[in-house]
Amino acid sequence: MPNEKTLTIDGFRVAIDAETNLLQVIRKAHIELPTFCYHSELSVYGACRLCMVEIEGRGLVTSCTTTPEPGMKVKTQTAEVRELRKMNIELLLASGNHDCPTCGKSGSCKLQSLAERLGVDKVRFTAPVEQKPLDFTSPSLVRDPNKCVLCGDCVRYCAEIQGIGVLDFTHRGSQSTVSPAFNKGLAEVDCVACGQCAAVCPVGAILVKTEVERAYAAIQDPRKTVVVQVAPAIRAAIGESFGAVNDTFTMGRIVSALRRLGFDKVYDTSFSADLTIWEEATEFVNRKQNGGVLPLITSCCPAWVKMAEHDFPEVLDNISTCRSPQQMFGSLAKDVLPKELGIAREDLVVVSIMPCTAKKFEAARDEFKVNGNPDVDLVLTTQELARMIQDAGIQFPELPVDSLDQPFGTKTGAGVIFANSGGVTEAVIRYAAGRLGEEHPVIEEVRAEKNRREFTASTPLGDIKMAVVQDGRGARSGQGEGASPGNQSWQKRCGVCGNHGLPRWMHRRRRSACHAFRSDPATSCSGHSRC
Amino acid sequence: MNAVMEMDLETTTQDYLASEKTYTRRVVICAGTGCMANGALKVFKALHEQAKALGISLEIELDYEDTKSKDGLLTKSGCQGFCQMGPLLSIEPDGILYCCVKPADVAEILETTFQNGKLVDRLLYSVPATGQVCKGHGDIPFYTQQHRTVLKACGSLDPENLREYIARGGYFAARKALTTMTDQEVCQEILDAGLRGRGGGGFPTGRKWELTRIQPKGKKFVICNGDEGDPGAFMDRSVMEGNPHAVLEGMMICARAVGADEGYVYVRAEYPLAVARVKKAVKDAEAVGILGDDIFGSGQSFRVHVMEGAGAFVCGEETALIASIEGKRGMPMPKPPFPAQSGLNGKPTVINNVETLASVPLILSNGAAWYRSMGTEKSPGTKTFALTGHVANTGLIEVPFGATLRKIVFDIGGGVTKKGDVIDNDAFKAVQIGGPSGGCLTREHLDLPMDFDSLLSIGAMVGSGGLVVMNQETCMVQVAKFFMQFTQNESCGKCVPCREGTKQMLALLDDITEGRATDETLPLLEQLARNVKIGSLCGLGKTAPNPVLSTLKNFREEIEAHVHRKVCPARVCKSLMTPEIDAALCKGCTLCAKKCPVGAIHGERKVAHTIDGFACIRCGACVDACKFNAISGI
Amino acid sequence: MHTAETEAPLISRQFTSVLRILESYHHDSSKLVPILQAVQEEYRYLPEEVMTFVATALDISPARVFGVATFYSHFALEPKGKYVVRICDGTACHVKGSQDIVDVLTERLKLPKGKKTTPDMLFTLETVSCLGACGLAPAVVINDDVHGQMNAERTKALIDQICVEEGL
Ligand SMILES: Cc1cc2nc3c(=O)[nH]c(=O)nc-3n(C[C@H](O)[C@H](O)[C@H](O)COP(=O)(O)O)c2cc1C
Ligand code: SF4
Ligand code: SF4
Ligand code: FES
């Protein structure tokens, strides 16, 4: 076509569509240029210099910072560019502690895979001997600055997407470090433990704090009875870890794997999620009818609750007094099961498999302890579960399916839509409307932005307005309006775990995950406005 | 709005010149950082007080009312450039320059020169090489060999006196630009003059302005880059201290050309005097409506803020400087977009160097043709250099582009010095130009015309204009290491090649000077230097390898001596030093030969011993053993 | 309520000068660098509580303030001594032997390894990249006084003199 805008990449003609930078065009042409600091959701940083290409007449440029122009002649594999990439990786390998076999990121580390891919077979530079101290303060995350490549992804994610800004660069030059203010630990600053920094970190500099060994220890301890709850979002995520399709049988296989790992009882958090919805809906109707503090903000997301505690103390009364499903489960389990099984509370270990690192933090909160004994003893993320399964040599895709334990194994279906951002809001409204005599409220989306969506539902009590926010920034932006409820009501939820516990880069696959819910007959999500 | 008194340039000039005539003499004391450090203010005070006691009417304030004739006007000036000889005191119209003046000399000056009209010979400058005694600026080679335009006013004007600046023609150019020229005409005039940026890159200033001018109308900024981070340059400091109004006038003209109404002067915090003088200049100009709204009745506004740096060399880089003004870490951003398109607060912004801006009023007053009459075809005009290091006359100089190094070092600089400040032109080894982004020039470059392009062609650059002369006692590997230490300290740490690369280059240079280098060290150093140069984000990283590359090119043998023979020919690198036995002190007691673990010491009993440098492992055992202190060098 | 009332005067007493500084920059976070400069002028260094206070007042994260404070070499995170001795290590001073001065002074002040300030808080020894007094190389600045054409002995003598003045 004559007036189509094109450029050439290594001699091949490629069309420029809506791409804002050359890197996107190159990737569209199926050339996976290496990058550390480029992230489509974040501002462009241009620091790792791995995406450099040569443009005829312009010389070397970083493709992530270059606007594609028609007629550009781009070369991605010149001798110069290749040497530069290799040299950069070699330099990074000598920049700190990059002892792969002992690193928790080994196998999924970008630096490791690029070194292999680019054929960096030796490091001719000397690495520093002195090690910077690690940060173990957070119940959810571990930071190891000696592995950091200073790509700034975590810094920008925390500030630009989550709107928190706990991490930043400190010092300069070769002394540069990424750290919380005043070199404090993550637990000593306003970190909400959402774990998105760990999700974006290409190397092992921020890792989820693993509790796998504690889980094994509990299982091995003959005095302990170990029960596990599995959050609804896990089923979609675990399949990813094993490259398996996520289908009707996934939950059955998870149950099967957990039993093989030695857990005594396996329950579904959906059960308590239903309780949460029921309680929260009751609370909402009560507040609405009795002039209580509105809007009501859900308490399900511990990261959001923590953010509110730090930044919006004025809305603390708006937050629902209900426990989140995880804690609801934990307190019920610790209350009911010891009696049922005839054991002491201390000998019951409640493990949860959760999509989000903040759940580790939530479980460790003092409010959720009885005489120092927590309702939920330890929390494993999807990745930790996957690691345990691999570690044990269990061939997940080939497992027979097994069924969940009773009595916590019943559910209504409302809980399963929980893990989609907005799910809980919708479920609460549905339930509340039902209690008010309106069986099938029509929920209408009135506004949709990237990280913030609004709905209305008409009920016998009048119109109810809902807002669903997707990330910390969205939560922040909703604050002002949320404070003036009038006769409307808001349900709000920070969406940090709205991604099914998948790292954000897997976000695009959300759709297919939603289809899985649909195909699960027990969790019919017909009427779910976003599928 | 408080009404500011509109200042009429012509009246001010007439008033000033008329009352200046009532003073027989003018005594100027240099109050640049150098002379101040040497006690210039004490001399100033002593002169004022003692003159009064003697009944000499030496006033420190121009009195516009009093038309009686007075003996003299005592003022301060900015840096006169000859810092080493400070405090400097000049007396006009006699054309006298007294050097190294102490308060104790004041009485004699007053008596001999003021009362008897004679010279105080011992305070006059005498040329070290010839012993010729010089009366003043008119016959001191350091000055006569220069061509001062930008610096001219620096050494004579009182930098804190706005009226004097006006009386010497100041702000006429700005008025011309604002009231009689279009924005396009101003850009064109600068383009015609061929002015190139003095901040290091040599980018044509007119083109930069034009690029900013054609951006959509709206908020635009002018920034004067006074960060001068090159560790060995102080031209911009001197201009800001000595002639701050010229900088402001340049900014005003620039603002006119590009349509800006707000400006920043970003001054290095290490320059407290420059900060104070620029701030005062801004305040004075505001007070009379030269800065503010409706300047010269043109309807245009321009305001200037002064911002102090906080100690980061990289903030001299434009995008980092902008980040710093915006309250962020001074980390550069990828270009494009250029500041001309999206600069401070995302608005089109011109960033120019101090000296560039100070040249602008001169061009507008004297015309592009005048400017082109100096310098070379491609690099018109003059350039200031900070001449330092092993040279007889250190200080601030200005020459037309195209002047040779020979002229600068030997004629203006008065020759090369070696240990004990003895002049010995044979001791010349190299000149480092352009600081951490530049390279070194050797004997073979002595006749090279100094301009942007010819320096680039040999792998050096004008850079900021620091010229450090080095004698044979200097180790060039150490010099390269010094700059590498500097850049790796000052790297912002953003991009991998610069942050990690400079660190590793420094480590490799360390290996070389510490005797750990192997056959692989130099090839690796070269490969790394090449990649840092092409891979870094900003100019700091892109130019950081220059000192190393230039040393590798010009002093290869010296480096190889370090690497292969583990010898430092200049005898500077401590780890490579072999102990030496002073034959005069050695009694031939053989103790050292016995103690040497590798048997590197030979000699007959009672005869002075010698050390085999190749066998020696530099353990120092012999030094400790010798009872006669005959062994040194470790 | 009760605690809020009793705490408020305490905080404002401690931070009155910071508040004044913030006020004079209109709580504009883009003025962070001059704000921190002014704060440092006041306290002679940047105390952690003050940085946190500044961050909160400007509505930016403390991490950002800390990031800026550690980027620029003029900001001190620890209190400095009564006499700040800055030795210029620019090119000109370096080739004229400024390193010797540093070595001799480190020895003279008996500075503990890795420390810049003497335990008695009298002296802080720093090197700076260039003071722009190259014509006087090597240059040493003690507080605000520039001393040109120095060498190790003369610098040591200056220190000795200060010690005498301080009654040491
Ligand atoms: C690391 C670095 C440091 C710089 N330092 C200075 C400086 O101190 N002063 C300056 O005028 N330009 C400096 N520059 C150049 C500026 O980025 C910019 O090009 C210059 O101020 C433009 O002005 P000019 O066109 O008048 O030269 C520096 C550049 C780099 C990369
Ligand atoms: S911690 Fe990870 S994401 Fe953050 S800057 Fe370091 S390498 Fe990048
Ligand atoms: S080249 Fe150096 S100073 Fe420039 S951006 Fe990269 S790290 Fe920062
Ligand atoms: S991805 Fe382009 S520089 Fe890092």
Side-chain angles (χ1 to χ4, degrees):
Chain A
M1 261 170 267
N3 53 3
E4 191 181 62
K5 289 195 275 179
T6 64
L7 46 71
T8 67
I9 297 173
D10 299 327
F12 291 89
R13 194 184 286 276
V14 181
I16 307 170
D17 301 317
E19 292 88 2
T20 49
N21 62 57
L22 188 55
L23 178 64
Q24 290 171 341
V25 182
I26 295 171
R27 289 197 165 158
K28 186 178 68 182
H30 312 294
I31 297 172
E32 187 61 25
L33 282 187
T35 56
F36 273 130
C37 71
Y38 178 74
H39 206 289
S40 58
E41 281 177 280
L42 303 177
S43 60
V44 171
Y45 190 53
C48 74
R49 321 303 285 169
L50 286 172
C51 68
M52 282 190 121
V53 295
E54 188 183 310
I55 299 180
E56 211 175 275
R58 265 214 231 172
L60 296 184
V61 299
T62 39
S63 57
C64 71
T65 64
T66 305
T67 314
E69 286 165 22
M72 273 181 171
K73 292 196 170 66
V74 183
K75 292 189 197 141
T76 68
Q77 309 296 340
T78 66
E80 233 179 7
V81 165
R82 292 184 54 242
E83 183 183 75
L84 191 63
R85 277 181 209 150
K86 262 178 101 158
M87 183 64 95
N88 275 0
I89 296 293
E90 193 179 341
L91 284 168
L92 285 177
L93 285 172
S95 69
N97 170 13
H98 296 291
D99 184 14
C100 298
T102 60
C103 176
K105 192 77 171 192
S106 187
S108 55
C109 170
K110 239 184 185 180
L111 180 59
Q112 189 186 37
S113 66
L114 281 177
E116 191 181 308
R117 176 179 139 190
L118 301 177
V120 179
D121 47 11
K122 56 181 182 293
V123 177
R124 295 164 292 178
F125 307 112
T126 356
V129 204
E130 233 171 81
Q131 298 287 302
K132 297 174 187 163
L134 274 64
D135 172 10
F136 292 109
T137 58
S138 165
S140 305
L141 303 161
V142 179
R143 271 191 332 108
D144 181 355
N146 304 296
K147 299 195 188 299
C148 175
V149 295
L150 297 162
C151 64
D153 289 353
C154 57
V155 173
R156 283 171 292 142
Y157 209 102
C158 189
E160 293 175 14
I161 306 289
Q162 300 301 65
I164 300 169
V166 153
L167 293 166
D168 209 332
F169 291 97
T170 72
H171 301 88
R172 68 167 185 237
S174 53
Q175 305 296 313
S176 299
T177 311
V178 162
S179 111
F182 317 114
N183 298 321
K184 286 191 176 170
L186 279 173
E188 299 151 345
V189 293
D190 291 356
C191 170
V192 300
C194 70
Q196 293 304 318
C197 53
V200 290
C201 181
V203 293
I206 307 181
L207 292 176
V208 173
K209 189 179 233 175
T210 176
E211 289 182 279
V212 167
E213 288 310 318
R214 277 186 64 213
Y216 272 124
I219 290 168
Q220 301 291 325
D221 188 337
R223 282 166 303 170
K224 307 277 185 196
T225 302
V226 187
V227 303
V228 57
Q229 58 165 321
V230 184
I234 301 302
R235 61 195 67 180
I238 196 88
E240 301 278 352
S241 297
F242 292 99
V245 281
N246 172 32
D247 57 21
T248 333
F249 309 110
T250 305
M251 191 56 190
R253 292 205 171 91
I254 294 176
V255 177
S256 188
L258 288 167
R259 289 203 203 285
R260 265 151 231 254
L261 286 169
F263 288 98
D264 297 312
K265 302 260 179 206
V266 184
Y267 302 106
D268 188 340
T269 310
S270 299
F271 163 69
S272 55
D274 289 355
L275 290 179
T276 297
I277 288 166
W278 177 79
E279 265 196 36
E280 216 167 82
T282 310
E283 185 178 7
F284 174 68
V285 172
N286 272 344
R287 288 192 186 202
K288 183 90 184 156
Q289 285 174 332
N290 304 325
V293 181
L294 285 175
L296 183 69
I297 301 173
T298 182
S299 61
C300 291
C301 171
W304 151 243
V305 172
K306 190 147 193 268
M307 181 173 172
E309 285 170 350
H310 291 308
D311 290 357
F312 310 110
E314 67 278 10
V315 305
L316 289 180
D317 287 341
N318 296 68
I319 297 179
S320 164
T321 55
C322 303
R323 284 163 188 245
S324 73
Q326 158 169 288
Q327 294 308 132
M328 188 77 85
F329 177 94
S331 76
L332 266 175
K334 286 257 167 129
D335 194 33
V336 177
L337 285 176
K339 287 177 210 150
E340 223 169 70
L341 303 171
I343 55 169
R345 179 182 163 102
E346 287 67 36
D347 287 333
L348 178 71
V349 177
V350 175
V351 176
S352 24
I353 313 287
M354 288 286 145
C356 169
T357 54
K359 287 287 165 186
K360 290 180 184 256
F361 156 76
E362 182 183 43
R365 290 186 75 129
D366 286 337
E367 303 95 287
F368 300 130
K369 286 178 185 159
V370 174
N371 296 330
N373 180 272
D375 292 346
V376 174
D377 294 84
L378 57 100
V379 180
L380 301 173
T381 60
T382 316
Q383 278 77 15
E384 286 172 272
L385 174 61
R387 194 148 273 214
M388 282 179 86
I389 295 174
Q390 276 160 346
D391 185 353
I394 295 168
Q395 302 298 303
F396 186 81
E398 279 123 57
L399 282 181
V401 295
D402 204 341
S403 54
L404 291 154
D405 280 287
Q406 304 291 328
F408 299 99
T410 50
K411 52 181 156 40
T412 61
V416 180
I417 55 170
F418 205 96
N420 278 303
S421 186
V424 72
T425 306
E426 200 183 308
V428 165
I429 295 303
R430 243 174 242 297
Y431 194 89
R435 283 195 35 165
L436 298 166
E438 172 69 61
E439 281 301 321
H440 297 289
V442 182
I443 300 183
E444 221 180 316
E445 181 156 343
V446 291
R447 179 173 148 193
E449 281 163 20
K450 213 172 142 230
N451 55 3
R452 182 183 158 88
R453 312 173 52 194
E454 291 173 16
F455 304 87
T456 55
S458 76
T459 72
L461 266 184
D463 279 358
I464 298 179
K465 289 199 178 183
M466 296 171 274
V468 175
V469 295
Q470 181 67 33
D471 51 36
R473 214 178 18 170
R476 219 169 256 286
S477 78
Q479 237 12 79
E481 300 157 63
S484 59
N487 68 348
Q488 325 153 351
S489 292
W490 290 75
Q491 272 282 348
K492 210 171 278 152
R493 167 174 152 89
C494 162
V496 285
C497 73
N499 49 29
H500 300 302
L502 301 174
R504 284 295 290 248
W505 61 76
M506 292 182 176
H507 222 175
R508 322 172 208 122
R509 299 184 197 145
R510 144 96 60 71
R511 269 187 83 77
S512 61
C514 279
H515 285 299
F517 287 114
R518 264 197 175 155
S519 63
D520 185 343
T523 63
S524 115
C525 83
S526 57
H528 190 294
S529 59
R530 289 195 291 121
C531 283
Chain B
M1 277 262 101
N2 51 344
V4 276
M5 195 194 70
E6 168 79 23
M7 188 173 250
D8 176 67
L9 300 182
E10 279 79 11
T11 322
T12 309
T13 307
Q14 281 158 16
D15 288 355
Y16 185 93
L17 295 180
S19 53
E20 194 188 29
K21 278 207 189 84
T22 62
Y23 296 82
T24 315
R25 286 194 167 91
R26 183 182 160 105
V27 182
V28 181
I29 292 188
C30 177
T33 294
C35 289
M36 297 263 272
N38 279 333
L41 286 188
K42 289 194 196 116
V43 176
F44 185 90
K45 209 162 138 245
L47 206 55
H48 183 51
E49 282 166 5
Q50 294 183 24
K52 203 185 267 166
L54 287 173
I56 300 172
S57 50
L58 185 59
E59 311 296 334
I60 50 173
E61 206 63 65
L62 193 71
D63 190 335
Y64 290 90
E65 307 298 316
D66 187 357
T67 52
K68 264 199 336 278
S69 98
K70 285 149 288 223
D71 294 326
L73 180 67
L74 174 61
T75 71
K76 295 176 218 163
S77 77
C79 178
Q80 303 188 5
F82 212 6
C83 309
Q84 194 186 20
M85 285 290 144
L88 301 172
L89 184 154
S90 61
I91 303 175
E92 300 296 338
D94 312 62
I96 303 171
L97 180 70
Y98 290 139
C99 302
C100 306
V101 181
K102 303 266 163 317
D105 301 324
V106 165
E108 192 178 347
I109 295 175
L110 285 172
E111 190 194 320
T112 314
T113 309
F114 270 77
Q115 293 178 323
N116 302 335
K118 297 215 177 71
L119 294 172
V120 183
D121 291 331
R122 61 177 187 87
L123 294 176
L124 292 176
Y125 174 78
S126 77
V127 183
T130 59
Q132 176 210 340
V133 177
C134 307
K135 183 177 174 200
H137 291 100
D139 55 354
I140 298 177
F142 177 77
Y143 287 111
T144 54
Q145 297 288 327
Q146 296 188 43
H147 187 102
R148 297 192 148 213
T149 60
V150 175
L151 293 181
K152 192 169 177 199
C154 272
S156 57
L157 277 185
D158 180 350
E160 300 191 0
N161 191 336
L162 169 61
R163 288 170 180 238
E164 184 179 354
Y165 179 71
I166 293 172
R168 312 275 181 234
Y171 288 115
F172 282 83
R175 186 178 66 182
K176 178 168 150 195
L178 262 68
T179 56
T180 65
M181 293 171 82
T182 66
D183 52 356
Q184 208 168 350
E185 281 166 2
V186 180
C187 285
Q188 192 58 46
E189 185 75 12
I190 299 299
L191 209 55
D192 289 345
L195 176 64
R196 294 174 66 171
R198 303 295 198 249
F203 190 82
T205 305
R207 283 238 306 275
K208 190 185 274 189
W209 290 13
E210 183 65 18
L211 212 75
T212 316
R213 188 186 72 79
I214 57 175
Q215 301 298 318
K217 282 204 171 21
K219 190 83 194 164
K220 293 181 189 176
F221 292 98
V222 175
I223 299 177
C224 168
N225 187 344
D227 198 44
E228 197 165 54
D230 170 0
F234 54 97
M235 297 77 56
D236 296 345
R237 187 208 75 189
S238 302
V239 173
M240 287 183 286
E241 278 175 20
N243 200 358
H245 285 289
V247 179
L248 295 184
E249 189 177 358
M251 288 175 78
M252 280 170 75
I253 295 169
C254 175
R256 164 70 188 129
V258 304
D261 67 352
E262 204 172 336
Y264 280 85
V265 187
Y266 190 95
V267 192
R268 237 182 132 215
E270 284 86 348
Y271 294 173
L273 192 59
V275 173
R277 295 248 168 96
V278 175
K279 279 190 176 162
K280 178 166 183 355
V282 170
K283 215 167 119 223
D284 290 351
E286 271 171 0
V288 298
I290 286 178
L291 287 175
D293 293 319
D294 192 21
I295 302 168
F296 300 126
S298 65
Q300 292 168 58
S301 309
F302 188 57
R303 286 195 163 68
V304 173
H305 315 273
V306 181
M307 161 132 180
E308 262 177 80
F313 170 64
V314 68
C315 287
E317 199 278 340
E318 324 177 290
T319 56
L321 191 151
I322 288 171
S324 178
I325 298 184
E326 290 172 350
K328 303 180 192 145
R329 292 165 58 87
M331 306 215 283
M333 296 287 287
K335 290 187 274 193
F338 293 96
Q341 301 154 319
S342 169
L344 185 57
N345 303 334
K347 304 287 181 240
T349 303
V350 174
I351 300 193
N352 270 133
N353 167 264
V354 170
E355 191 185 333
T356 314
L357 288 167
S359 307
V360 165
L362 295 174
I363 295 173
L364 245 64
S365 306
N366 302 309
W370 164 81
Y371 196 71
R372 281 203 169 273
S373 73
M374 302 176 290
T376 64
E377 164 79 33
K378 293 256 174 62
S379 308
T382 57
K383 173 80 192 103
T384 59
F385 289 102
L387 185 61
T388 58
H390 301 131
V391 60
N393 305 329
T394 60
L396 191 65
I397 64 164
E398 181 171 351
V399 288
F401 273 116
T404 62
L405 200 55
R406 187 180 300 283
K407 176 173 168 133
I408 293 173
V409 175
F410 298 113
D411 299 346
I412 301 174
V416 179
T417 58
K418 62 178 188 188
K419 215 174 240 128
D421 283 338
V422 186
I423 296 180
D424 175 4
N425 285 347
D426 291 335
F428 177 84
K429 183 167 189 176
V431 167
Q432 211 287 339
I433 181 165
S437 34
C440 45
L441 304 174
T442 64
R443 194 167 280 282
E444 72 179 277
H445 304 122
L446 277 176
D447 293 309
L448 185 83
M450 307 263 282
D451 60 55
F452 286 112
D453 310 298
S454 59
L455 282 170
L456 265 185
S457 72
I458 57 156
M461 61 191 261
V462 174
S464 53
L467 282 181
V468 186
V469 181
M470 289 172 293
N471 63 19
Q472 298 289 356
E473 294 153 18
T474 319
C475 168
M476 297 311 289
V477 188
Q478 291 285 356
V479 173
K481 198 169 108 177
F482 168 78
F483 284 115
M484 202 40 77
Q485 175 78 54
F486 178 83
T487 38
Q488 82 104 31
N489 247 335
E490 296 293 338
S491 156
C492 80
K494 179 172 179 175
C495 70
V496 179
C498 172
R499 179 184 72 234
E500 304 299 336
T502 54
K503 183 173 83 184
Q504 297 295 352
M505 275 160 75
L506 179 63
L508 292 172
L509 288 169
D510 247 342
D511 285 349
I512 296 175
T513 58
E514 298 289 326
R516 290 187 301 261
T518 66
D519 288 350
E520 276 153 35
T521 308
L522 287 187
L524 183 57
L525 181 62
E526 275 178 310
Q527 191 195 7
L528 182 55
R530 195 167 61 230
N531 281 288
V532 173
K533 200 175 163 99
I534 59 174
S536 293
L537 193 165
C538 84
L540 188 149
K542 281 187 210 294
T543 58
N546 286 355
V548 170
L549 288 169
S550 146
T551 308
L552 278 165
K553 186 167 145 209
N554 293 310
F555 294 94
R556 183 113 202 159
E557 249 172 64
E558 188 171 341
I559 300 188
E560 284 177 346
H562 286 73
V563 175
H564 302 305
R565 293 192 292 121
K566 308 282 183 257
V567 168
C568 173
R571 298 190 60 80
V572 174
C573 300
K574 293 207 172 86
S575 312
L576 300 186
M577 227 90 98
T578 28
E580 261 184 309
I581 299 180
D582 185 341
L585 294 175
C586 177
K587 305 270 191 257
C589 74
T590 74
L591 197 58
C592 58
K594 288 204 187 91
K595 287 274 158 150
C596 176
V598 291
I601 306 185
H602 307 287
E604 297 291 309
R605 180 171 278 279
K606 299 241 166 81
V607 179
H609 282 39
T610 53
I611 300 176
D612 174 356
F614 283 95
C616 169
I617 55 164
R618 301 171 192 87
C619 68
C622 54
V623 181
D624 296 339
C626 181
K627 296 204 169 64
F628 310 102
N629 281 336
I631 310 180
S632 61
I634 283 194
Chain C
M1 270 339 274
H2 181 71
T3 49
E5 267 165 31
T6 46
E7 267 173 19
L10 189 77
I11 291 178
S12 53
R13 236 193 342 268
Q14 275 178 326
F15 291 121
T16 20
S17 41
V18 183
L19 280 169
R20 184 177 35 75
I21 292 166
L22 288 164
E23 201 55 50
S24 69
Y25 288 102
H26 313 290
H27 288 80
D28 179 355
S29 63
S30 76
K31 296 284 183 282
L32 182 58
V33 173
I35 289 173
L36 291 180
Q37 281 166 334
V39 169
Q40 173 152 309
E41 187 93 337
E42 190 78 32
Y43 291 81
R44 291 178 59 79
Y45 78 111
L46 297 176
E48 189 180 310
E49 321 78 78
V50 179
M51 280 195 269
T52 310
F53 184 85
V54 167
T56 315
L58 297 179
D59 197 17
I60 55 181
S61 74
R64 181 170 152 205
V65 175
F66 184 65
V68 169
T70 52
F71 184 88
Y72 297 98
S73 55
H74 275 232
F75 294 128
L77 302 184
E78 283 168 13
K80 288 192 186 184
K82 182 170 171 193
Y83 297 92
V84 181
V85 183
R86 296 191 290 158
I87 299 170
C88 181
D89 196 27
T91 320
C93 294
H94 187 82
V95 300
K96 291 206 165 176
S98 55
Q99 190 56 43
D100 281 350
I101 307 183
V102 178
D103 293 345
V104 167
L105 281 201
T106 311
E107 173 100 22
R108 166 68 182 80
L109 296 173
K110 299 198 186 62
L111 280 176
K113 207 173 161 49
K115 291 269 179 259
K116 289 177 166 177
T117 303
T118 53
D120 61 4
M121 299 300 293
L122 201 55
F123 291 101
T124 296
L125 182 67
E126 294 176 345
T127 54
V128 291
S129 57
C130 184
L131 295 164
C134 312
L136 305 175
V140 173
V141 182
I142 301 182
N143 288 347
D144 287 331
D145 295 331
V146 187
H147 304 269
Q149 284 148 349
M150 295 301 282
N151 56 29
E153 276 67 51
R154 291 180 52 204
T155 319
K156 219 161 99 179
L158 282 175
I159 300 292
D160 291 338
Q161 195 191 332
I162 293 174
C163 287
V164 170
E165 283 164 19
E166 288 291 327
L168 288 176

